[in-house]
Amino acid sequence: GAVVSQHPSRVICKSGTSVKIECRSLDFQATTMFWYRQFPKQSLMLMATSNEGSKATYEQGVEKDKFLINHASLTLSTLTVTSAHPEDSSFYICSANDHGGGREQFFGPGTRLTVL
Amino acid sequence: SQQGEEDPQALSIQEGENATMNCSYKTSINNLQWYRQNSGRGLVHLILIRSNEREKHSGRLRVTLDTSKKSSSLLITASRAADTASYFCATDRYGYSTLTFGKGTMLLVSP
């Protein structure tokens, strides 16, 4: 099956710093990648849809300037949490599909961000 | 936005028993999928059912879909301790690539 990786798996940073999370599709080309956020014991909340070569589409309430998304190639999307604060601490998960039309999405293992 | 509601929120059973989880949604859908998530991990795709399908099987999994009631159920038969995880339904709509997740059911299977 298709494999999606995320790096790092876990990161701890100081308040005010920026953190970059990478999402890679390892054995397929992902025209579309998705970034989700998950708080403990809650469901996944879609943050943004990332399309290769174009600007990301953010969900309502998600700050574009705080969560910078870059999808520079068909196998890599990055999420940068800028000027992170403790309330940004969460589990960030990416997913990808190569159909661009819903259906099955392949999920990365997630990145646990802790902001001190 | 979250449109799915799963029930129960938590389910505790013994090994060998069947586990049934339900999911309801609000808008018309193209497909409905079920995912599994072990604690602190990513999601694993279990099964996809299309809006024109009513039932689908995969191993010990059985999924039903009732579009008139906007609901779906996931049945896991002969459960095992390794089935302990959170289970989420997710829907997509025609013309949209995004998934909308339900709130999930936490399943605990005791040996």
Side-chain angles (χ1 to χ4, degrees):
Chain A
V3 179
V4 175
S5 69
Q6 274 184 249
H7 178 79
S9 59
R10 192 179 291 266
V11 57
I12 301 173
C13 68
K14 293 182 179 179
S15 186
T17 61
S18 294
V19 175
K20 180 185 284 188
I21 302 170
E22 293 186 348
C23 177
R24 293 182 185 271
S25 57
L26 298 185
D27 50 4
F28 67 101
Q29 292 186 328
T31 54
T32 306
M33 288 184 169
F34 306 88
W35 286 96
Y36 296 86
R37 181 173 181 174
Q38 185 180 33
F39 290 108
K41 297 186 179 181
Q42 294 190 23
S43 188
L44 280 72
M45 295 292 293
L46 179 65
M47 299 175 66
T49 302
S50 170
N51 296 296
E52 187 269 336
S54 64
K55 290 184 178 180
T57 302
Y58 290 81
E59 294 298 300
Q60 192 173 8
V62 178
E63 297 177 59
K64 301 177 183 180
D65 295 332
K66 179 156 188 71
F67 299 99
L68 301 179
I69 291 173
N70 184 283
H71 193 158
S73 78
L74 286 172
T75 59
L76 173 64
S77 176
T78 60
L79 168 67
T80 301
V81 183
T82 62
S83 187
H85 288 94
E87 57 266 30
D88 298 324
S89 297
S90 189
F91 194 54
Y92 292 88
I93 307 176
C94 73
S95 70
N97 67 26
D98 57 5
H99 296 283
R103 299 205 280 171
E104 181 180 352
Q105 290 184 13
F106 303 99
F107 283 80
T111 297
R112 173 75 58 192
L113 171 63
T114 302
V115 184
L116 302 176
Chain B
S1 63
Q2 295 293 314
Q3 76 152 337
E5 296 276 344
E6 275 107 326
D7 75 87
Q9 290 187 335
L11 179 62
S12 184
I13 60 175
Q14 298 289 318
E15 263 192 329
E17 296 179 339
N18 296 340
T20 300
M21 290 159 269
N22 303 295
C23 164
S24 61
Y25 55 91
K26 298 176 183 175
T27 64
S28 296
I29 64 169
N30 186 20
N31 304 289
L32 185 144
Q33 304 179 54
W34 284 90
Y35 288 87
R36 164 198 169 124
Q37 183 182 35
N38 287 80
S39 181
R41 308 289 293 274
L43 272 70
V44 174
H45 182 263
L46 296 177
I47 197 165
L48 178 150
I49 187 166
R50 303 185 192 285
S51 60
N52 61 354
E53 296 177 312
R54 291 296 167 259
E55 188 171 312
K56 207 160 183 180
H57 298 255
S58 177
R60 293 184 294 115
L61 306 180
R62 173 177 169 254
V63 169
T64 62
L65 178 64
D66 187 335
T67 53
S68 67
K69 296 181 179 178
K70 292 187 168 58
S71 67
S72 173
S73 68
L74 170 67
L75 168 67
I76 303 175
T77 60
S79 64
R80 305 166 183 168
D83 294 329
T84 295
S86 291
Y87 292 82
F88 296 92
C89 69
T91 57
D92 67 81
R93 294 183 291 160
Y94 289 103
Y96 294 87
S97 61
T98 57
L99 292 178
T100 302
F101 280 83
K103 295 182 178 178
T105 294
M106 293 180 63
L107 173 66
L108 172 63
V109 183
S110 301

